């Protein structure tokens, strides 16, 4: 069999959840451009059930999700201790995700309840790290409005809800990406939801996956605060063989369709929050990258500025990614567990062969 580095181009399995065929992202057959303004809850329902909900189903589903946006007292107490540790928030989230898996009601923790807990937990990590009190969801609000309130402490405007709603939809799923495939591998063993999600969080933490958005903003900060020429900065990094985070994609060779949508949101938020200096930097960097490398911005590039405009610290950008992607992770866990097939690929051994352990020699004897 031909070896494909990083499994690039390898079809590992089939899925009904999402597709990037012909570089067009779609969820259950619907192109993302047609879904970007739908309610987030409707897209979660679509990913989990393969079809859009009726009006009554959507209302009931929204109420169920919002009702679960709370954490058990014991979990909050433990989080209050670990979230203040000088560790990256993704390390805190990794431990937090596994905590509910130790409770006695794990068998009752179905996807709606788990998604609600994940959103509440990520918001709580942000609040605790900022020495702010944990907020509680309002059942008459939607999921996105509540999520913003839970991590910011302020009721968002309709415009803010609309924009983050789109961000969360665009990040909800992306077929067999690294963290999703990790979750599916664990799910194939018929392990529980929390084990699958913990593994997915571990994969998302890496700078080549979810951590890229954090690195993008660190780059923007470095250029901005040091008053550097962005063109010169990029040229120097490229000459040194360094990677410019937020550009290129294994699937989208001619540009990430999500980035096109996110660019407009980043521009609007930057204008409304007095952050146009960062957006202007992004425009200059994007132009020189296109000229020098023919690489285009990916989903992480503009998301970094968007999260900054929501007054979030760069270290919390990847947990925010996890908040969005949990919906897709759960969809893939459900699908994989229903398959009942263990994921166990083969490998090609390239080490030494025909070696034999020496026997009968004095130096191998045990006194």
């Amino acid at each position: 069999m031909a070896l494909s580095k990083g499994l690039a181009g390898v079809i590992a399995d089939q899925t009904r959840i999402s597709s990037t065929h012909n570089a067009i992202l779609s969820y259950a057959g619907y192109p993302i451009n047609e879904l970007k303004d739908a309610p987030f809850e409707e897209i979660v329902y679509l990913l989990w059930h393969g079809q859009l909900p009726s009006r009554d189903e959507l209302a009931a589903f929204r109420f169920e999700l919002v009702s679960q946006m709370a954490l058990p007292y014991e979990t909050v107490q433990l989080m209050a201790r670990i979230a203040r540790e000088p560790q990256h928030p993704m390390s805190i989230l990794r431990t937090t995700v596994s905590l509910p898996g130790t409770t006695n009601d794990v068998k009752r923790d179905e996807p709606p309840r788990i998604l609600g807990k994940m959103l509440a937990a990520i918001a709580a990590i942000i609040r605790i790290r900022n020495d702010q009190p944990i907020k509680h969801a309002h059942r008459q609000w939607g999921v996105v409005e509540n999520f913003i309130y839970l991590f910011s402490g302020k009721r968002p405007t309709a415009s803010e809800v609309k924009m983050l709603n789109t961000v969360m939809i665009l990040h909800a799923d992306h077929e067999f990406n690294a963290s999703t495939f990790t979750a599916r591998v664990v799910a194939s063993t018929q392990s529980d939801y929390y084990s699958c999600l913990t593994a997915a969080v571990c994969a998302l933490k890496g700078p080549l996956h979810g951590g890229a958005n954090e690195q993008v903003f660190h780059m923007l900060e470095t250029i901005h605060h040091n008053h550097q020429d962005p063109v010169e900065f990029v040229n120097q990094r490229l000459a040194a063989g360094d990677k410019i985070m937020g550009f290129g994609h294994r699937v989208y060779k001619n540009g990430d369709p999500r980035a096109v949508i996110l660019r407009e949101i980043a521009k609007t938020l930057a204008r409304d929050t007095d952050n146009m200096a960062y957006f202007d930097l992004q425009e200059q960097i994007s132009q020189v990258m296109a000229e020098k490398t023919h690489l285009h911005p990916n989903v992480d590039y503009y998301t970094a500025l968007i999260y900054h405009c929501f007054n979030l610290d760069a270290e919390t950008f990847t947990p925010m990614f996890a908040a969005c992607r949990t919906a897709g992770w759960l969809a893939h866990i459900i699908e994989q567990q229903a398959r009942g097939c263990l994921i166990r690929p083969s490998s090609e051994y390239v080490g030494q062969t025909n070696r034999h352990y020496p026997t009968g020699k004095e130096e191998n004897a045990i006194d």
Side-chain angles (χ1 to χ4, degrees):
M1 294 183 290
L3 179 65
S4 178
K5 187 177 181 180
L7 299 181
V10 173
I11 298 176
D13 205 341
Q14 297 176 322
T15 181
R16 296 178 181 273
I17 299 169
S18 67
S19 170
T20 59
H21 183 64
N22 289 333
I24 298 173
L25 176 60
S26 62
Y27 293 167
Y30 294 90
I32 196 66
N33 284 339
E34 296 180 15
L35 300 177
K36 62 183 177 65
D37 295 320
F40 176 68
E41 301 92 332
E42 188 173 30
I43 302 308
V44 176
Y45 190 99
L46 173 66
L47 292 173
W48 292 0
H49 300 281
Q51 60 186 24
L52 295 170
S54 66
R55 180 177 298 180
D56 289 344
E57 287 173 331
L58 178 58
F61 189 60
R62 175 181 288 119
F63 182 79
E64 183 179 17
L65 289 175
V66 171
S67 298
Q68 302 299 339
M69 293 180 73
L71 298 169
Y73 175 77
E74 295 80 8
T75 301
V76 174
Q77 291 299 104
L78 288 169
M79 286 181 63
R81 295 175 59 185
I82 65 173
R84 289 190 173 90
E85 295 294 325
Q87 303 293 332
H88 193 281
M90 284 300 287
S91 296
I92 307 301
L93 181 60
R94 177 190 61 211
T95 301
T96 300
V97 173
S98 66
L99 282 176
T102 64
T103 61
N104 294 326
D105 61 354
V106 171
K107 291 184 178 180
R108 292 197 300 112
D109 282 357
E110 293 300 316
R113 188 175 184 187
I114 295 171
L115 177 57
K117 284 183 179 180
M118 282 287 286
L119 294 174
I122 290 165
I125 289 173
I126 294 171
R127 300 287 293 176
I128 293 171
R129 288 174 60 85
N130 291 331
D131 291 321
Q132 297 170 325
I134 294 177
K135 296 294 184 178
H136 302 284
H138 292 261
R139 296 199 175 189
Q140 68 272 28
W141 299 355
V143 169
V144 178
E145 185 174 10
N146 264 304
F147 182 51
I148 297 174
Y149 173 71
L150 290 180
F151 71 70
S152 71
K154 300 177 182 178
R155 185 174 187 179
T157 65
S159 176
E160 290 171 333
V161 173
K162 184 177 185 296
M163 287 186 283
L164 192 65
N165 183 89
T166 297
V167 172
M168 294 184 73
I169 287 173
L170 294 176
H171 284 80
D173 196 56
H174 204 241
E175 43 123 280
F176 283 15
N177 57 83
S179 57
T180 297
F181 189 67
T182 300
R184 290 191 72 122
V185 170
V186 180
S188 77
T189 71
Q190 297 298 316
S191 191
D192 63 276
Y193 284 111
Y194 292 107
S195 295
C196 299
L197 290 177
T198 301
V201 167
C202 291
L204 189 70
K205 182 184 177 185
L208 295 185
H209 190 15
N213 52 20
E214 180 181 338
Q215 299 303 315
V216 168
F217 192 72
H218 285 323
M219 174 183 68
L220 296 178
E221 276 193 313
T222 298
I223 297 172
H224 180 65
H225 292 310
N226 294 331
H227 305 288
Q228 291 181 263
D229 180 344
V231 175
E232 184 179 335
F233 175 88
V234 172
N235 286 333
Q236 289 177 347
R237 292 289 298 270
L238 292 177
D242 295 331
K243 183 179 178 67
I244 303 295
M245 301 303 289
F247 287 89
H249 197 282
R250 181 173 289 185
V251 175
Y252 305 120
K253 303 303 181 184
N254 296 313
D256 189 331
R258 298 167 297 177
V260 176
I261 300 170
L262 292 170
R263 178 186 176 277
E264 296 306 310
I265 295 175
K267 183 178 181 179
T268 299
L269 277 171
R271 183 190 63 229
D272 294 346
T273 59
D274 196 26
N275 279 295
M276 281 302 291
Y278 285 121
F279 182 77
D280 290 341
L281 280 179
Q282 287 193 311
E283 292 291 271
Q284 294 177 70
I285 294 171
S286 177
Q287 182 177 349
V288 69
M289 283 295 290
E291 294 172 354
K292 295 286 186 178
T293 68
H294 304 292
L295 294 177
H296 303 278
N298 57 38
V299 71
D300 298 304
Y301 190 61
Y302 294 110
T303 306
L305 179 54
I306 290 170
Y307 289 156
H308 172 72
C309 291
F310 272 97
N311 202 32
L312 292 163
D313 293 334
E315 283 193 337
T316 64
F317 290 0
T318 310
M320 288 293 292
F321 194 158
C324 310
R325 186 54 59 84
T326 298
W329 287 339
L330 288 168
H332 283 273
I333 292 167
I334 296 167
E335 184 177 68
Q336 186 62 50
Q337 288 184 335
R339 296 273 168 84
C341 178
L342 178 68
I343 296 176
R344 201 289 188 190
S346 299
S347 63
E348 179 186 4
Y349 177 71
V350 295
Q352 297 186 48
T353 60
N354 297 320
R355 305 173 79 187
H356 301 282
Y357 184 77
T359 58
K361 292 187 177 181
E362 185 177 347
E363 60 267 26
N364 293 324
I366 300 176
D367 293 332

